[in-house]
């Protein structure tokens, strides 16, 4: 071992007081390559200020940005079987779950909460892509279904934030069974006459996009989100053709009728509240009345010098003339 590397350099670093810089201090924009300070991103809801690129965020952050003052009551997730198939690939599925839970602090890929969105009480469900790609397993399916049941019982609309790679392969057919189960939960909410709005985020793919993520009354997408069933590369290799530029993005799907609107993260709470009030037939927020215009003061005419400042009103002049005429007539009668 080189004595300069092992002894001299650490000694010099300790003398100069060198500090370790966190790796995530600066974050690179995937679209433009711009380096953005992480504090600026946090203050801007993880949207790159110059390019407008929407970074992936956690499910907890989505609900915090959505509800008034960031306050909501988390809906408890039902208990579900953890490893029904005793699956193992490069590592045991139970070990994989333990590691990702320790890393994310989540029990599974779904967080559901109930709170107020600009005065409208609603239930919101969000996928967390950092938990095994936001994949849909038995536990996630149970959490989604329970959130629909809570919304139906409390007569609240439901907002779904989809961000998933699809069904969880480690749970096999049991994961695929969640697709029809969640579809039934959507129909239960609609039969109760309650709105169901889906917010498609980056990415929404696979079985999730083939089930409850495409069954909303209204579909909103974040700018630049990838929304599809199969990926672009898989389609190109299958049909042996080059796909159009921007294929499967939010903007492309809106132009072709698959998405109703593309809304930025900052405008999402106001947009959702406005739509929910319309769909729930609630009165809109009263518009502030404009202050009445100030009445223009009538100009005051000044009398010329030597004359009275107040001129007699026309009605008063007419009354005086009539009185004088009547007096003259009475004098004439007396003389006759």
């Amino acid at each position: 071992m080189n004595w300069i590397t092992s002894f001299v350099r650490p000694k010099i670093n300790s003398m100069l007081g060198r500090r370790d810089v966190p790796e995530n201090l600066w974050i690179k924009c995937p679209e433009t390559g711009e380096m953005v300070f992480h504090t600026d991103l946090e203050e801007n809801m993880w949207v790159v200020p110059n390019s407008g690129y929407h970074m992936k965020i956690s499910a907890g952050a989505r609900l915090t940005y959505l509800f008034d003052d960031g306050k909501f009551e988390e809906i408890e997730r039902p208990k579900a079987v953890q490893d029904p198939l005793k699956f193992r690939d490069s590592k045991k599925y139970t070990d994989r779950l333990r590691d990702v839970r320790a890393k994310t602090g989540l029990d599974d890929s779904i967080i559901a909460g109930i709170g107020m969105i600009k005065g409208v009480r609603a239930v919101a469900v969000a996928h967390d892509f950092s938990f095994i790609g936001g994949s849909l397993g038995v536990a996630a399916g149970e959490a989604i279904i329970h959130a629909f049941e809570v919304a139906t019982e409390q007569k609240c609309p439901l907002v779904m934030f989809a961000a998933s790679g699809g069904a969880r392969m480690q749970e096999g057919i049991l994961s695929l069974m969640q697709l029809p189960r969640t579809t039934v939960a959507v129909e239960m909410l609609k039969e109760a006459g309650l709105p169901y709005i889906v917010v498609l985020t980056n990415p929404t793919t696979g079985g999730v996009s083939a089930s409850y993520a495409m069954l909303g009354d209204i579909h909103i997408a974040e700018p630049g989100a990838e929304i599809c069933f199969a990926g672009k590369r898989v389609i190109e290799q299958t049909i042996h053709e080059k796909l159009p530029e921007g294929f499967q993005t939010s903007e492309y799907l809106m132009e072709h009728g698959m998405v109703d609107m593309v809304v930025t993260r900052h405008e999402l709470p106001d947009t959702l509240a406005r739509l929910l009030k319309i769909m729930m037939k609630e009165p809109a927020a009263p518009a502030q009345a404009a202050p009445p215009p100030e009445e223009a003061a009538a100009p005051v005419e000044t009398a010329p010098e030597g004359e009275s400042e107040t001129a007699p009103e026309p009605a008063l002049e007419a009354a005086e003339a009539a009185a004088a005429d009547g007096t003259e007539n009475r004098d004439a009668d007396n003389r006759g």
Side-chain angles (χ1 to χ4, degrees), residues 169-183:
M169 69 173 190
Q170 289 89 347
E171 298 184 16
I173 188 63
L174 298 177
S175 175
L176 295 175
M177 285 174 60
Q178 307 310 311
L179 306 184
R181 294 183 73 229
T182 51
T183 301

Side-chain angles (χ1 to χ4, degrees), residues 22-143:
E23 295 181 359
N24 61 347
L25 193 61
W26 293 87
I27 299 175
K28 185 177 182 179
C29 175
E31 192 172 71
T32 62
E34 176 190 5
M35 300 299 293
V36 185
F37 194 53
H38 74 99
T39 305
D40 296 336
L41 273 179
E42 290 178 1
E43 293 175 352
N44 203 39
M45 296 185 179
W46 293 94
V47 178
V48 180
N50 293 333
S51 65
Y53 183 86
H54 284 54
M55 307 285 288
K56 294 184 179 71
I57 59 175
S58 65
R62 288 200 181 277
L63 299 189
T64 301
Y65 294 150
L66 175 67
F67 289 113
D68 296 347
D69 300 325
K71 298 178 181 179
F72 63 93
E73 179 184 351
E74 187 170 348
I75 298 175
E76 185 178 357
R77 288 177 290 273
K79 299 294 182 182
V81 60
Q82 299 298 310
D83 187 11
L85 303 180
K86 308 299 179 185
F87 191 89
R88 181 185 183 119
D89 44 20
S90 59
K91 63 185 342 181
K92 290 183 179 179
Y93 180 42
T94 52
D95 295 340
R96 193 180 297 278
L97 285 174
R98 185 191 63 242
D99 294 343
V100 73
R101 282 170 179 166
K103 182 179 179 181
T104 61
L106 301 174
D107 290 335
D108 212 274
S109 61
I110 291 294
I111 293 181
I114 183 168
M116 305 297 289
I117 306 175
K118 303 297 180 182
V120 181
R121 186 170 175 82
V123 173
V125 182
H127 283 259
D128 198 308
F129 194 78
S130 62
F131 195 100
I132 315 182
S135 53
L136 179 66
V138 175
E142 291 289 347

Side-chain angles (χ1 to χ4, degrees), residues 179 183 205-215 228-229:
L179 306 184
T183 301
T205 61
V208 170
S209 67
S211 56
Y212 57 87
M214 286 297 176
L215 296 177
C228 61
F229 178 73

